[in-house]
């Protein structure tokens, strides 16, 4: 449904743009054939593009969608961990006031992770929060 609406919106925008172009060309120079050639060309191009698109969008089960999100989250978390390691490697160049601010920030997140660990419902969730707490404690030791 959304792709149909998107295509309709694109066609409507192109149509309005072409109408404005037709009016501008008729006002400026009398080239009566040009707008109709443009209309025909765009209509053929949009028809070909619409025909080449699959008519039915692939459907996913809830588990497939969750697996896709989990894969994206793993990539994001790995990138964030790498960025943190990079910043920690150059920790000796950080100003003392920035270190203190980072220490407060890490302590805040450590407190939140401890609260989440206390309220975790599964052993896998508890293991994740425990690993997060341990990582934050390591960062806190480096900052202190």
């Amino acid at each position: 449904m959304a792709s149909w609406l998107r295509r309709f919106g694109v066609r409507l925008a192109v149509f309005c743009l072409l109408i404005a172009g037709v009016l501008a060309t008729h006002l400026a120079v009398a080239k009566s054939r040009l707008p109709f050639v443009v209309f025909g060309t765009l209509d053929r191009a949009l028809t070909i593009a619409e025909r080449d698109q699959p008519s039915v969008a692939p459907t996913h089960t809830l588990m497939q969608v969750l697996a896709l999100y989990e894969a994206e989250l793993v990539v994001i978390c790995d990138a964030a961990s790498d960025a943190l390691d990079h910043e920690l490697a150059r920790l000796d160049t950080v100003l003392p006031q920035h270190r203190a601010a980072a220490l407060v920030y890490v302590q805040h997140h450590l407190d939140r992770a401890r609260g989440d660990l206390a309220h975790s419902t599964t052993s896998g969730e508890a293991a994740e929060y425990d690993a997060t707490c341990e990582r934050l404690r390591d960062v806190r030791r480096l900052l202190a």
Side-chain angles (χ1 to χ4, degrees), residues 18-114:
L18 287 174
I19 293 296
V22 168
L23 290 176
T25 56
H26 278 290
L27 292 176
V29 178
K31 292 183 181 179
S32 60
R33 181 93 177 116
L34 180 63
F36 300 110
V37 171
V38 172
F39 277 133
T41 304
L42 283 174
D43 186 49
R44 280 193 305 274
L46 289 173
T47 303
I48 290 171
E50 193 174 272
R51 187 181 56 212
D52 290 343
Q53 289 182 348
S55 60
V56 177
T59 57
H60 297 288
T61 64
L62 177 62
M63 295 309 291
Q64 290 171 333
V65 170
L66 290 176
L68 290 171
Y69 284 142
E70 182 181 11
E72 288 180 19
L73 282 173
V74 166
V75 170
I76 291 169
C77 289
D78 288 344
S81 182
D82 291 344
L84 177 63
D85 290 339
H86 174 71
E87 292 300 320
L88 290 174
R90 56 184 211 100
L91 194 60
D92 54 346
T93 63
V94 176
L95 297 173
Q97 60 268 29
H98 291 164
R99 273 187 127 150
L103 188 59
V104 169
Y105 184 73
V106 167
Q107 185 62 43
H108 168 74
H109 282 287
L110 180 58
D111 292 340
R112 286 185 65 193
R114 284 178 181 157

